[in-house]
Amino acid sequence: MKQAAIIDVGSHSIRYAVGRVQDGQARMEPKRLESTHLAEGVSKTGRLGEVPMMRALWAIEAFARDAAERGVPVYAYATSAVRDSENGADFCQRAAALGVQIQVLEPEEEARLALLGATGGQGGLLDIGGGSTEIAVGDKEDYSGLWSFQIGAM
């Protein structure tokens, strides 16, 4: 059986899920979510604020602790808030000090992964996030379109 925990660091919330593959069947536990408002104030300052970063780091630490207690590896990804802010690298360093390495997704990769996660990689997707919107069209082998726009629900 293969198991992993995923931490999705978004502009508005941190999402956490644990999944496993056994006998060719994928199963996900119910997702958990913490609203951290990480991108709060970024549009005015271009930087992640100290208080939103602390809220997000607290959630990341709690989710990582849960994964460690289960003995499953953690894969953490960040999107628009971290990618577009001047101090996103600092935020990632602070998460690394907690034992969580965050991979910041490029816009097209964010679109591709959204399509893969929502549809298994077939068809099309419009994903309106907190800080960006992704449009993806195609299948696992041939993506005819992957777009990301710096406009989201926040």
Side-chain angles (χ1 to χ4, degrees), residues 3-16:
Q3 298 184 86
I6 304 294
I7 299 175
D8 175 5
V9 181
S11 297
H12 178 69
S13 61
I14 311 291
R15 296 174 188 270
Y16 173 72

Side-chain angles (χ1 to χ4, degrees), residues 8 11 17 21 32 36 38 46 70-71 82-83 86 91 113 127:
D8 175 5
S11 297
V21 177
R32 293 171 45 194
T36 61
L38 180 59
R70 296 165 180 259
V82 175
R83 178 176 64 229
E86 293 173 13
F91 175 78
L113 290 174
D127 177 17

Side-chain angles (χ1 to χ4, degrees), residues 6-119:
I6 304 294
I7 299 175
D8 175 5
V9 181
S11 297
H12 178 69
S13 61
I14 311 291
R15 296 174 188 270
Y16 173 72
V18 176
R20 61 189 49 82
V21 177
Q22 185 172 15
D23 300 325
Q25 296 290 326
R27 303 244 190 267
M28 294 285 291
E29 292 184 8
K31 295 176 187 173
R32 293 171 45 194
L33 177 140
E34 287 289 334
S35 294
T36 61
H37 307 279
L38 180 59
E40 182 178 82
V42 169
S43 63
K44 292 178 185 170
T45 66
R47 301 179 57 79
L48 298 171
E50 185 61 29
V51 171
M53 282 197 292
M54 292 304 296
R55 289 189 300 249
L57 291 166
W58 175 84
I60 289 167
E61 183 178 35
F63 292 149
R65 188 172 40 254
D66 180 76
E69 289 170 1
R70 296 165 180 259
V72 298
V74 174
Y75 298 91
Y77 303 93
T79 56
S80 144
V82 175
R83 178 176 64 229
D84 299 337
S85 64
E86 293 173 13
N87 59 339
D90 175 55
F91 175 78
C92 290
Q93 288 175 345
R94 292 169 73 175
L98 298 173
V100 178
Q101 299 296 320
I102 297 176
Q103 178 183 347
V104 180
L105 298 176
E106 291 300 322
E108 292 77 17
E109 182 69 356
E110 182 180 354
R112 186 185 74 77
L113 290 174
L115 178 66
L116 186 61
T119 70

Side-chain angles (χ1 to χ4, degrees), residues 122-137:
Q122 303 287 339
L125 171 83
L126 172 66
D127 177 17
I128 302 171
S132 65
T133 295
E134 283 67 47
I135 300 172
V137 180

